[in-house]
Amino acid sequence: MRATPESNGVRTEIEVANTYERDATYSVQISIADGEGWTAHNRFWLQDVPPGETGRKAAVIGSEDMGPAPRIPKIYVDEFTPIVDRK
């Protein structure tokens, strides 16, 4: 995971390696915070990641309305749920 401050929020990039023998979908909910009250949340869906491959997603989390983005954002994984195909 990587979190980079931008003018309109925090650009967040995640990646998950599929270690299962079948395609898998991952639900990952994260929070980005500064430890002083600025907090934003997002859920990523990495769908149909083939076995042995890595799924990647990126998004800007937060907004200008929330005030300045944290200079040193902290990433928290709130939920990580793999869903493996049952073929």
Side-chain angles (χ1 to χ4, degrees):
M1 286 191 199
R2 183 185 328 200
T4 307
E6 293 189 354
S7 61
N8 59 342
V10 177
R11 179 171 182 73
T12 307
E13 301 170 45
I14 70 166
E15 56 182 54
V16 177
N18 181 359
T19 60
Y20 297 100
E21 295 179 4
R22 297 185 177 181
D23 286 359
T25 295
Y26 297 89
S27 170
V28 184
Q29 182 174 322
I30 65 166
S31 298
I32 304 293
D34 65 359
E36 298 176 15
W38 192 101
T39 304
H41 310 276
N42 196 25
R43 179 178 302 275
F44 292 90
W45 285 94
L46 293 91
Q47 295 182 302
D48 300 322
V49 180
E53 299 290 324
T54 300
R56 294 175 178 82
K57 291 280 184 173
V60 175
I61 300 174
S63 68
E64 292 178 12
D65 296 340
M66 296 176 65
R71 296 186 76 196
I72 303 173
K74 297 174 176 80
I75 304 172
Y76 301 93
V77 177
D78 301 322
E79 178 187 313
F80 179 84
T81 305
I83 304 163
V84 181
D85 285 350
R86 295 185 183 196
K87 294 180 185 173

PDB file of all heavy atoms in Angstrom, residues 16-54:
ATOM      1  N   VAL A  16      -2.782  -6.662  -4.070  1.00  0.00           N
ATOM      2  CA  VAL A  16      -2.985  -7.902  -3.335  1.00  0.00           C
ATOM      3  C   VAL A  16      -2.568  -9.058  -4.242  1.00  0.00           C
ATOM      4  O   VAL A  16      -3.045  -9.161  -5.375  1.00  0.00           O
ATOM      5  CB  VAL A  16      -4.467  -8.075  -2.926  1.00  0.00           C
ATOM      6  CG1 VAL A  16      -4.677  -9.407  -2.232  1.00  0.00           C
ATOM      7  CG2 VAL A  16      -4.908  -6.941  -2.025  1.00  0.00           C
ATOM      8  N   ALA A  17      -1.703  -9.924  -3.734  1.00  0.00           N
ATOM      9  CA  ALA A  17      -1.271 -11.110  -4.482  1.00  0.00           C
ATOM     10  C   ALA A  17      -2.223 -12.264  -4.185  1.00  0.00           C
ATOM     11  O   ALA A  17      -2.533 -12.535  -3.029  1.00  0.00           O
ATOM     12  CB  ALA A  17       0.146 -11.490  -4.092  1.00  0.00           C
ATOM     13  N   ASN A  18      -2.683 -12.920  -5.232  1.00  0.00           N
ATOM     14  CA  ASN A  18      -3.568 -14.075  -5.069  1.00  0.00           C
ATOM     15  C   ASN A  18      -2.715 -15.321  -4.871  1.00  0.00           C
ATOM     16  O   ASN A  18      -2.078 -15.809  -5.788  1.00  0.00           O
ATOM     17  CB  ASN A  18      -4.473 -14.237  -6.288  1.00  0.00           C
ATOM     18  CG  ASN A  18      -5.418 -15.412  -6.134  1.00  0.00           C
ATOM     19  OD1 ASN A  18      -5.398 -16.115  -5.129  1.00  0.00           O
ATOM     20  ND2 ASN A  18      -6.236 -15.635  -7.133  1.00  0.00           N
ATOM     21  N   THR A  19      -2.751 -15.865  -3.667  1.00  0.00           N
ATOM     22  CA  THR A  19      -1.987 -17.070  -3.347  1.00  0.00           C
ATOM     23  C   THR A  19      -2.848 -18.330  -3.398  1.00  0.00           C
ATOM     24  O   THR A  19      -2.377 -19.410  -3.065  1.00  0.00           O
ATOM     25  CB  THR A  19      -1.351 -16.945  -1.944  1.00  0.00           C
ATOM     26  OG1 THR A  19      -2.396 -16.763  -0.986  1.00  0.00           O
ATOM     27  CG2 THR A  19      -0.374 -15.785  -1.895  1.00  0.00           C
ATOM     28  N   TYR A  20      -4.107 -18.170  -3.818  1.00  0.00           N
ATOM     29  CA  TYR A  20      -5.005 -19.317  -3.940  1.00  0.00           C
ATOM     30  C   TYR A  20      -4.794 -19.999  -5.293  1.00  0.00           C
ATOM     31  O   TYR A  20      -4.174 -19.453  -6.197  1.00  0.00           O
ATOM     32  CB  TYR A  20      -6.468 -18.872  -3.801  1.00  0.00           C
ATOM     33  CG  TYR A  20      -6.785 -18.294  -2.445  1.00  0.00           C
ATOM     34  CD1 TYR A  20      -6.848 -16.923  -2.248  1.00  0.00           C
ATOM     35  CD2 TYR A  20      -7.023 -19.135  -1.364  1.00  0.00           C
ATOM     36  CE1 TYR A  20      -7.133 -16.400  -0.997  1.00  0.00           C
ATOM     37  CE2 TYR A  20      -7.307 -18.612  -0.114  1.00  0.00           C
ATOM     38  CZ  TYR A  20      -7.360 -17.246   0.062  1.00  0.00           C
ATOM     39  OH  TYR A  20      -7.647 -16.721   1.288  1.00  0.00           O
ATOM     40  N   GLU A  21      -5.356 -21.191  -5.454  1.00  0.00           N
ATOM     41  CA  GLU A  21      -5.241 -21.939  -6.699  1.00  0.00           C
ATOM     42  C   GLU A  21      -6.364 -21.617  -7.677  1.00  0.00           C
ATOM     43  O   GLU A  21      -6.428 -22.186  -8.765  1.00  0.00           O
ATOM     44  CB  GLU A  21      -5.220 -23.439  -6.406  1.00  0.00           C
ATOM     45  CG  GLU A  21      -3.982 -23.861  -5.627  1.00  0.00           C
ATOM     46  CD  GLU A  21      -3.969 -25.347  -5.314  1.00  0.00           C
ATOM     47  OE1 GLU A  21      -4.881 -26.082  -5.751  1.00  0.00           O
ATOM     48  OE2 GLU A  21      -3.032 -25.767  -4.623  1.00  0.00           O
ATOM     49  N   ARG A  22      -7.259 -20.717  -7.294  1.00  0.00           N
ATOM     50  CA  ARG A  22      -8.382 -20.299  -8.145  1.00  0.00           C
ATOM     51  C   ARG A  22      -8.464 -18.782  -8.166  1.00  0.00           C
ATOM     52  O   ARG A  22      -7.864 -18.112  -7.323  1.00  0.00           O
ATOM     53  CB  ARG A  22      -9.680 -20.873  -7.599  1.00  0.00           C
ATOM     54  CG  ARG A  22      -9.691 -22.369  -7.630  1.00  0.00           C
ATOM     55  CD  ARG A  22     -10.999 -22.914  -7.208  1.00  0.00           C
ATOM     56  NE  ARG A  22     -10.942 -24.370  -7.329  1.00  0.00           N
ATOM     57  CZ  ARG A  22     -11.919 -25.159  -7.055  1.00  0.00           C
ATOM     58  NH1 ARG A  22     -13.057 -24.670  -6.639  1.00  0.00           N
ATOM     59  NH2 ARG A  22     -11.789 -26.458  -7.181  1.00  0.00           N
ATOM     60  N   ASP A  23      -9.231 -18.252  -9.126  1.00  0.00           N
ATOM     61  CA  ASP A  23      -9.454 -16.810  -9.161  1.00  0.00           C
ATOM     62  C   ASP A  23     -10.024 -16.350  -7.817  1.00  0.00           C
ATOM     63  O   ASP A  23     -10.777 -17.089  -7.171  1.00  0.00           O
ATOM     64  CB  ASP A  23     -10.461 -16.438 -10.250  1.00  0.00           C
ATOM     65  CG  ASP A  23      -9.875 -16.537 -11.650  1.00  0.00           C
ATOM     66  OD1 ASP A  23      -8.686 -16.884 -11.795  1.00  0.00           O
ATOM     67  OD2 ASP A  23     -10.625 -16.241 -12.605  1.00  0.00           O
ATOM     68  N   ALA A  24      -9.674 -15.154  -7.427  1.00  0.00           N
ATOM     69  CA  ALA A  24     -10.168 -14.615  -6.159  1.00  0.00           C
ATOM     70  C   ALA A  24     -10.530 -13.143  -6.326  1.00  0.00           C
ATOM     71  O   ALA A  24      -9.941 -12.424  -7.129  1.00  0.00           O
ATOM     72  CB  ALA A  24      -9.129 -14.765  -5.057  1.00  0.00           C
ATOM     73  N   THR A  25     -11.528 -12.726  -5.571  1.00  0.00           N
ATOM     74  CA  THR A  25     -11.915 -11.324  -5.484  1.00  0.00           C
ATOM     75  C   THR A  25     -11.621 -10.879  -4.061  1.00  0.00           C
ATOM     76  O   THR A  25     -11.844 -11.628  -3.117  1.00  0.00           O
ATOM     77  CB  THR A  25     -13.414 -11.150  -5.811  1.00  0.00           C
ATOM     78  OG1 THR A  25     -13.616 -11.513  -7.186  1.00  0.00           O
ATOM     79  CG2 THR A  25     -13.875  -9.727  -5.583  1.00  0.00           C
ATOM     80  N   TYR A  26     -11.113  -9.666  -3.927  1.00  0.00           N
ATOM     81  CA  TYR A  26     -10.749  -9.151  -2.611  1.00  0.00           C
ATOM     82  C   TYR A  26     -11.518  -7.867  -2.324  1.00  0.00           C
ATOM     83  O   TYR A  26     -11.574  -6.968  -3.159  1.00  0.00           O
ATOM     84  CB  TYR A  26      -9.244  -8.860  -2.540  1.00  0.00           C
ATOM     85  CG  TYR A  26      -8.407 -10.095  -2.712  1.00  0.00           C
ATOM     86  CD1 TYR A  26      -7.997 -10.510  -3.971  1.00  0.00           C
ATOM     87  CD2 TYR A  26      -8.045 -10.859  -1.620  1.00  0.00           C
ATOM     88  CE1 TYR A  26      -7.241 -11.654  -4.131  1.00  0.00           C
ATOM     89  CE2 TYR A  26      -7.287 -12.014  -1.772  1.00  0.00           C
ATOM     90  CZ  TYR A  26      -6.889 -12.399  -3.033  1.00  0.00           C
ATOM     91  OH  TYR A  26      -6.145 -13.540  -3.189  1.00  0.00           O
ATOM     92  N   SER A  27     -12.102  -7.811  -1.149  1.00  0.00           N
ATOM     93  CA  SER A  27     -12.726  -6.601  -0.632  1.00  0.00           C
ATOM     94  C   SER A  27     -11.789  -6.055   0.437  1.00  0.00           C
ATOM     95  O   SER A  27     -11.512  -6.730   1.428  1.00  0.00           O
ATOM     96  CB  SER A  27     -14.090  -6.927  -0.033  1.00  0.00           C
ATOM     97  OG  SER A  27     -14.598  -5.810   0.662  1.00  0.00           O
ATOM     98  N   VAL A  28     -11.290  -4.851   0.212  1.00  0.00           N
ATOM     99  CA  VAL A  28     -10.338  -4.245   1.148  1.00  0.00           C
ATOM    100  C   VAL A  28     -10.857  -2.864   1.528  1.00  0.00           C
ATOM    101  O   VAL A  28     -11.006  -1.992   0.669  1.00  0.00           O
ATOM    102  CB  VAL A  28      -8.935  -4.124   0.521  1.00  0.00           C
ATOM    103  CG1 VAL A  28      -7.952  -3.575   1.544  1.00  0.00           C
ATOM    104  CG2 VAL A  28      -8.452  -5.449  -0.035  1.00  0.00           C
ATOM    105  N   GLN A  29     -11.173  -2.685   2.800  1.00  0.00           N
ATOM    106  CA  GLN A  29     -11.594  -1.372   3.291  1.00  0.00           C
ATOM    107  C   GLN A  29     -10.442  -0.758   4.056  1.00  0.00           C
ATOM    108  O   GLN A  29      -9.860  -1.412   4.939  1.00  0.00           O
ATOM    109  CB  GLN A  29     -12.813  -1.483   4.196  1.00  0.00           C
ATOM    110  CG  GLN A  29     -13.301  -0.130   4.678  1.00  0.00           C
ATOM    111  CD  GLN A  29     -14.594  -0.235   5.465  1.00  0.00           C
ATOM    112  OE1 GLN A  29     -15.464  -1.018   5.132  1.00  0.00           O
ATOM    113  NE2 GLN A  29     -14.693   0.557   6.507  1.00  0.00           N
ATOM    114  N   ILE A  30     -10.116   0.489   3.721  1.00  0.00           N
ATOM    115  CA  ILE A  30      -9.008   1.157   4.393  1.00  0.00           C
ATOM    116  C   ILE A  30      -9.438   2.516   4.912  1.00  0.00           C
ATOM    117  O   ILE A  30     -10.444   3.072   4.474  1.00  0.00           O
ATOM    118  CB  ILE A  30      -7.785   1.338   3.460  1.00  0.00           C
ATOM    119  CG1 ILE A  30      -8.130   2.268   2.307  1.00  0.00           C
ATOM    120  CG2 ILE A  30      -7.278  -0.001   2.959  1.00  0.00           C
ATOM    121  CD1 ILE A  30      -6.913   2.756   1.554  1.00  0.00           C
ATOM    122  N   SER A  31      -8.666   3.013   5.850  1.00  0.00           N
ATOM    123  CA  SER A  31      -8.796   4.385   6.343  1.00  0.00           C
ATOM    124  C   SER A  31      -7.448   5.061   6.178  1.00  0.00           C
ATOM    125  O   SER A  31      -6.404   4.431   6.353  1.00  0.00           O
ATOM    126  CB  SER A  31      -9.174   4.404   7.825  1.00  0.00           C
ATOM    127  OG  SER A  31     -10.405   3.787   8.045  1.00  0.00           O
ATOM    128  N   ILE A  32      -7.497   6.332   5.841  1.00  0.00           N
ATOM    129  CA  ILE A  32      -6.306   7.169   5.782  1.00  0.00           C
ATOM    130  C   ILE A  32      -6.504   8.234   6.847  1.00  0.00           C
ATOM    131  O   ILE A  32      -7.568   8.851   6.926  1.00  0.00           O
ATOM    132  CB  ILE A  32      -6.154   7.849   4.403  1.00  0.00           C
ATOM    133  CG1 ILE A  32      -6.138   6.818   3.275  1.00  0.00           C
ATOM    134  CG2 ILE A  32      -4.923   8.729   4.381  1.00  0.00           C
ATOM    135  CD1 ILE A  32      -4.935   5.932   3.270  1.00  0.00           C
ATOM    136  N   ALA A  33      -5.502   8.454   7.676  1.00  0.00           N
ATOM    137  CA  ALA A  33      -5.643   9.424   8.767  1.00  0.00           C
ATOM    138  C   ALA A  33      -4.321  10.145   9.010  1.00  0.00           C
ATOM    139  O   ALA A  33      -3.269   9.718   8.542  1.00  0.00           O
ATOM    140  CB  ALA A  33      -6.097   8.720  10.041  1.00  0.00           C
ATOM    141  N   ASP A  34      -4.419  11.236   9.746  1.00  0.00           N
ATOM    142  CA  ASP A  34      -3.211  11.981  10.117  1.00  0.00           C
ATOM    143  C   ASP A  34      -2.934  11.914  11.614  1.00  0.00           C
ATOM    144  O   ASP A  34      -1.955  12.462  12.092  1.00  0.00           O
ATOM    145  CB  ASP A  34      -3.306  13.436   9.666  1.00  0.00           C
ATOM    146  CG  ASP A  34      -4.409  14.222  10.361  1.00  0.00           C
ATOM    147  OD1 ASP A  34      -5.148  13.647  11.198  1.00  0.00           O
ATOM    148  OD2 ASP A  34      -4.542  15.423  10.073  1.00  0.00           O
ATOM    149  N   GLY A  35      -3.820  11.266  12.376  1.00  0.00           N
ATOM    150  CA  GLY A  35      -3.643  11.173  13.820  1.00  0.00           C
ATOM    151  C   GLY A  35      -4.109  12.413  14.557  1.00  0.00           C
ATOM    152  O   GLY A  35      -3.991  12.500  15.775  1.00  0.00           O
ATOM    153  N   GLU A  36      -4.671  13.388  13.815  1.00  0.00           N
ATOM    154  CA  GLU A  36      -5.121  14.631  14.443  1.00  0.00           C
ATOM    155  C   GLU A  36      -6.558  14.982  14.071  1.00  0.00           C
ATOM    156  O   GLU A  36      -6.964  16.132  14.211  1.00  0.00           O
ATOM    157  CB  GLU A  36      -4.182  15.773  14.038  1.00  0.00           C
ATOM    158  CG  GLU A  36      -2.756  15.543  14.499  1.00  0.00           C
ATOM    159  CD  GLU A  36      -1.805  16.624  14.014  1.00  0.00           C
ATOM    160  OE1 GLU A  36      -2.276  17.687  13.569  1.00  0.00           O
ATOM    161  OE2 GLU A  36      -0.598  16.395  14.084  1.00  0.00           O
ATOM    162  N   GLY A  37      -7.318  14.001  13.552  1.00  0.00           N
ATOM    163  CA  GLY A  37      -8.713  14.263  13.248  1.00  0.00           C
ATOM    164  C   GLY A  37      -9.086  14.126  11.784  1.00  0.00           C
ATOM    165  O   GLY A  37     -10.249  13.931  11.464  1.00  0.00           O
ATOM    166  N   TRP A  38      -8.138  14.237  10.869  1.00  0.00           N
ATOM    167  CA  TRP A  38      -8.439  14.063   9.435  1.00  0.00           C
ATOM    168  C   TRP A  38      -8.477  12.572   9.155  1.00  0.00           C
ATOM    169  O   TRP A  38      -7.501  11.856   9.350  1.00  0.00           O
ATOM    170  CB  TRP A  38      -7.357  14.730   8.596  1.00  0.00           C
ATOM    171  CG  TRP A  38      -7.674  14.889   7.137  1.00  0.00           C
ATOM    172  CD1 TRP A  38      -8.091  16.038   6.527  1.00  0.00           C
ATOM    173  CD2 TRP A  38      -7.574  13.914   6.091  1.00  0.00           C
ATOM    174  NE1 TRP A  38      -8.266  15.823   5.185  1.00  0.00           N
ATOM    175  CE2 TRP A  38      -7.958  14.526   4.890  1.00  0.00           C
ATOM    176  CE3 TRP A  38      -7.229  12.573   6.059  1.00  0.00           C
ATOM    177  CZ2 TRP A  38      -7.984  13.850   3.678  1.00  0.00           C
ATOM    178  CZ3 TRP A  38      -7.259  11.883   4.853  1.00  0.00           C
ATOM    179  CH2 TRP A  38      -7.631  12.534   3.680  1.00  0.00           C
ATOM    180  N   THR A  39      -9.632  12.075   8.700  1.00  0.00           N
ATOM    181  CA  THR A  39      -9.779  10.652   8.390  1.00  0.00           C
ATOM    182  C   THR A  39     -10.689  10.495   7.174  1.00  0.00           C
ATOM    183  O   THR A  39     -11.721  11.153   7.081  1.00  0.00           O
ATOM    184  CB  THR A  39     -10.410   9.880   9.568  1.00  0.00           C
ATOM    185  OG1 THR A  39      -9.621  10.082  10.734  1.00  0.00           O
ATOM    186  CG2 THR A  39     -10.473   8.393   9.281  1.00  0.00           C
ATOM    187  N   ALA A  40     -10.287   9.627   6.261  1.00  0.00           N
ATOM    188  CA  ALA A  40     -11.099   9.312   5.089  1.00  0.00           C
ATOM    189  C   ALA A  40     -11.085   7.793   4.905  1.00  0.00           C
ATOM    190  O   ALA A  40     -10.134   7.116   5.295  1.00  0.00           O
ATOM    191  CB  ALA A  40     -10.543  10.012   3.854  1.00  0.00           C
ATOM    192  N   HIS A  41     -12.150   7.276   4.306  1.00  0.00           N
ATOM    193  CA  HIS A  41     -12.312   5.827   4.146  1.00  0.00           C
ATOM    194  C   HIS A  41     -12.590   5.494   2.683  1.00  0.00           C
ATOM    195  O   HIS A  41     -13.153   6.304   1.954  1.00  0.00           O
ATOM    196  CB  HIS A  41     -13.499   5.310   4.971  1.00  0.00           C
ATOM    197  CG  HIS A  41     -13.484   5.753   6.386  1.00  0.00           C
ATOM    198  ND1 HIS A  41     -12.767   5.088   7.352  1.00  0.00           N
ATOM    199  CD2 HIS A  41     -14.083   6.796   7.003  1.00  0.00           C
ATOM    200  CE1 HIS A  41     -12.936   5.711   8.514  1.00  0.00           C
ATOM    201  NE2 HIS A  41     -13.722   6.743   8.317  1.00  0.00           N
ATOM    202  N   ASN A  42     -12.242   4.271   2.303  1.00  0.00           N
ATOM    203  CA  ASN A  42     -12.589   3.783   0.973  1.00  0.00           C
ATOM    204  C   ASN A  42     -12.589   2.253   0.988  1.00  0.00           C
ATOM    205  O   ASN A  42     -11.867   1.644   1.770  1.00  0.00           O
ATOM    206  CB  ASN A  42     -11.606   4.284  -0.081  1.00  0.00           C
ATOM    207  CG  ASN A  42     -12.133   4.119  -1.495  1.00  0.00           C
ATOM    208  OD1 ASN A  42     -13.333   4.082  -1.724  1.00  0.00           O
ATOM    209  ND2 ASN A  42     -11.228   4.033  -2.451  1.00  0.00           N
ATOM    210  N   ARG A  43     -13.392   1.668   0.106  1.00  0.00           N
ATOM    211  CA  ARG A  43     -13.398   0.222  -0.079  1.00  0.00           C
ATOM    212  C   ARG A  43     -12.963  -0.045  -1.513  1.00  0.00           C
ATOM    213  O   ARG A  43     -13.474   0.543  -2.450  1.00  0.00           O
ATOM    214  CB  ARG A  43     -14.778  -0.377   0.151  1.00  0.00           C
ATOM    215  CG  ARG A  43     -14.784  -1.898  -0.081  1.00  0.00           C
ATOM    216  CD  ARG A  43     -16.150  -2.508   0.191  1.00  0.00           C
ATOM    217  NE  ARG A  43     -16.611  -2.264   1.544  1.00  0.00           N
ATOM    218  CZ  ARG A  43     -16.294  -3.012   2.604  1.00  0.00           C
ATOM    219  NH1 ARG A  43     -15.497  -4.050   2.476  1.00  0.00           N
ATOM    220  NH2 ARG A  43     -16.776  -2.723   3.797  1.00  0.00           N
ATOM    221  N   PHE A  44     -12.008  -0.945  -1.655  1.00  0.00           N
ATOM    222  CA  PHE A  44     -11.524  -1.364  -2.960  1.00  0.00           C
ATOM    223  C   PHE A  44     -12.032  -2.774  -3.241  1.00  0.00           C
ATOM    224  O   PHE A  44     -12.022  -3.626  -2.355  1.00  0.00           O
ATOM    225  CB  PHE A  44      -9.988  -1.393  -2.989  1.00  0.00           C
ATOM    226  CG  PHE A  44      -9.356  -0.039  -2.893  1.00  0.00           C
ATOM    227  CD1 PHE A  44      -9.032   0.505  -1.665  1.00  0.00           C
ATOM    228  CD2 PHE A  44      -9.061   0.692  -4.034  1.00  0.00           C
ATOM    229  CE1 PHE A  44      -8.436   1.742  -1.566  1.00  0.00           C
ATOM    230  CE2 PHE A  44      -8.467   1.930  -3.951  1.00  0.00           C
ATOM    231  CZ  PHE A  44      -8.154   2.463  -2.714  1.00  0.00           C
ATOM    232  N   TRP A  45     -12.452  -3.019  -4.469  1.00  0.00           N
ATOM    233  CA  TRP A  45     -12.827  -4.358  -4.930  1.00  0.00           C
ATOM    234  C   TRP A  45     -11.833  -4.744  -6.014  1.00  0.00           C
ATOM    235  O   TRP A  45     -11.781  -4.114  -7.065  1.00  0.00           O
ATOM    236  CB  TRP A  45     -14.241  -4.366  -5.502  1.00  0.00           C
ATOM    237  CG  TRP A  45     -15.297  -4.297  -4.454  1.00  0.00           C
ATOM    238  CD1 TRP A  45     -15.916  -3.178  -3.983  1.00  0.00           C
ATOM    239  CD2 TRP A  45     -15.848  -5.391  -3.727  1.00  0.00           C
ATOM    240  NE1 TRP A  45     -16.816  -3.513  -3.006  1.00  0.00           N
ATOM    241  CE2 TRP A  45     -16.800  -4.868  -2.831  1.00  0.00           C
ATOM    242  CE3 TRP A  45     -15.631  -6.768  -3.745  1.00  0.00           C
ATOM    243  CZ2 TRP A  45     -17.539  -5.666  -1.970  1.00  0.00           C
ATOM    244  CZ3 TRP A  45     -16.368  -7.558  -2.890  1.00  0.00           C
ATOM    245  CH2 TRP A  45     -17.317  -7.014  -2.013  1.00  0.00           C
ATOM    246  N   LEU A  46     -11.044  -5.754  -5.747  1.00  0.00           N
ATOM    247  CA  LEU A  46     -10.120  -6.281  -6.743  1.00  0.00           C
ATOM    248  C   LEU A  46     -10.743  -7.583  -7.223  1.00  0.00           C
ATOM    249  O   LEU A  46     -10.734  -8.585  -6.507  1.00  0.00           O
ATOM    250  CB  LEU A  46      -8.742  -6.513  -6.131  1.00  0.00           C
ATOM    251  CG  LEU A  46      -8.029  -5.220  -5.717  1.00  0.00           C
ATOM    252  CD1 LEU A  46      -8.342  -4.874  -4.291  1.00  0.00           C
ATOM    253  CD2 LEU A  46      -6.561  -5.357  -5.943  1.00  0.00           C
ATOM    254  N   GLN A  47     -11.323  -7.565  -8.416  1.00  0.00           N
ATOM    255  CA  GLN A  47     -12.137  -8.679  -8.885  1.00  0.00           C
ATOM    256  C   GLN A  47     -11.381  -9.630  -9.795  1.00  0.00           C
ATOM    257  O   GLN A  47     -10.589  -9.196 -10.639  1.00  0.00           O
ATOM    258  CB  GLN A  47     -13.367  -8.153  -9.608  1.00  0.00           C
ATOM    259  CG  GLN A  47     -14.295  -7.394  -8.670  1.00  0.00           C
ATOM    260  CD  GLN A  47     -15.536  -6.919  -9.378  1.00  0.00           C
ATOM    261  OE1 GLN A  47     -15.460  -6.194 -10.352  1.00  0.00           O
ATOM    262  NE2 GLN A  47     -16.683  -7.337  -8.866  1.00  0.00           N
ATOM    263  N   ASP A  48     -11.674 -10.904  -9.620  1.00  0.00           N
ATOM    264  CA  ASP A  48     -11.187 -11.966 -10.505  1.00  0.00           C
ATOM    265  C   ASP A  48      -9.680 -11.928 -10.717  1.00  0.00           C
ATOM    266  O   ASP A  48      -9.191 -11.990 -11.839  1.00  0.00           O
ATOM    267  CB  ASP A  48     -11.908 -11.892 -11.856  1.00  0.00           C
ATOM    268  CG  ASP A  48     -13.413 -12.059 -11.706  1.00  0.00           C
ATOM    269  OD1 ASP A  48     -13.829 -12.881 -10.850  1.00  0.00           O
ATOM    270  OD2 ASP A  48     -14.156 -11.385 -12.427  1.00  0.00           O
ATOM    271  N   VAL A  49      -8.935 -11.864  -9.620  1.00  0.00           N
ATOM    272  CA  VAL A  49      -7.475 -11.899  -9.698  1.00  0.00           C
ATOM    273  C   VAL A  49      -7.065 -13.358  -9.931  1.00  0.00           C
ATOM    274  O   VAL A  49      -7.379 -14.230  -9.124  1.00  0.00           O
ATOM    275  CB  VAL A  49      -6.827 -11.348  -8.403  1.00  0.00           C
ATOM    276  CG1 VAL A  49      -5.307 -11.399  -8.501  1.00  0.00           C
ATOM    277  CG2 VAL A  49      -7.314  -9.933  -8.116  1.00  0.00           C
ATOM    278  N   PRO A  50      -6.372 -13.647 -11.041  1.00  0.00           N
ATOM    279  CA  PRO A  50      -5.979 -15.027 -11.333  1.00  0.00           C
ATOM    280  C   PRO A  50      -4.957 -15.550 -10.319  1.00  0.00           C
ATOM    281  O   PRO A  50      -4.220 -14.774  -9.704  1.00  0.00           O
ATOM    282  CB  PRO A  50      -5.349 -14.935 -12.730  1.00  0.00           C
ATOM    283  CG  PRO A  50      -5.822 -13.648 -13.306  1.00  0.00           C
ATOM    284  CD  PRO A  50      -6.034 -12.734 -12.129  1.00  0.00           C
ATOM    285  N   PRO A  51      -4.877 -16.859 -10.166  1.00  0.00           N
ATOM    286  CA  PRO A  51      -3.898 -17.460  -9.247  1.00  0.00           C
ATOM    287  C   PRO A  51      -2.477 -17.018  -9.610  1.00  0.00           C
ATOM    288  O   PRO A  51      -2.111 -16.975 -10.783  1.00  0.00           O
ATOM    289  CB  PRO A  51      -4.054 -18.965  -9.473  1.00  0.00           C
ATOM    290  CG  PRO A  51      -5.386 -19.134 -10.114  1.00  0.00           C
ATOM    291  CD  PRO A  51      -5.678 -17.876 -10.865  1.00  0.00           C
ATOM    292  N   GLY A  52      -1.712 -16.669  -8.603  1.00  0.00           N
ATOM    293  CA  GLY A  52      -0.328 -16.256  -8.809  1.00  0.00           C
ATOM    294  C   GLY A  52      -0.157 -14.846  -9.334  1.00  0.00           C
ATOM    295  O   GLY A  52       0.966 -14.376  -9.493  1.00  0.00           O
ATOM    296  N   GLU A  53      -1.248 -14.136  -9.597  1.00  0.00           N
ATOM    297  CA  GLU A  53      -1.179 -12.759 -10.098  1.00  0.00           C
ATOM    298  C   GLU A  53      -1.442 -11.771  -8.966  1.00  0.00           C
ATOM    299  O   GLU A  53      -1.847 -12.147  -7.873  1.00  0.00           O
ATOM    300  CB  GLU A  53      -2.205 -12.550 -11.218  1.00  0.00           C
ATOM    301  CG  GLU A  53      -1.995 -13.434 -12.422  1.00  0.00           C
ATOM    302  CD  GLU A  53      -0.751 -13.066 -13.213  1.00  0.00           C
ATOM    303  OE1 GLU A  53      -0.437 -11.869 -13.315  1.00  0.00           O
ATOM    304  OE2 GLU A  53      -0.090 -13.993 -13.720  1.00  0.00           O
ATOM    305  N   THR A  54      -1.235 -10.505  -9.266  1.00  0.00           N
ATOM    306  CA  THR A  54      -1.454  -9.440  -8.296  1.00  0.00           C
ATOM    307  C   THR A  54      -2.490  -8.468  -8.828  1.00  0.00           C
ATOM    308  O   THR A  54      -2.369  -7.997  -9.955  1.00  0.00           O
ATOM    309  CB  THR A  54      -0.137  -8.687  -8.015  1.00  0.00           C
ATOM    310  OG1 THR A  54       0.813  -9.617  -7.499  1.00  0.00           O
ATOM    311  CG2 THR A  54      -0.336  -7.578  -6.997  1.00  0.00           C
TER     312      THR A  54
END
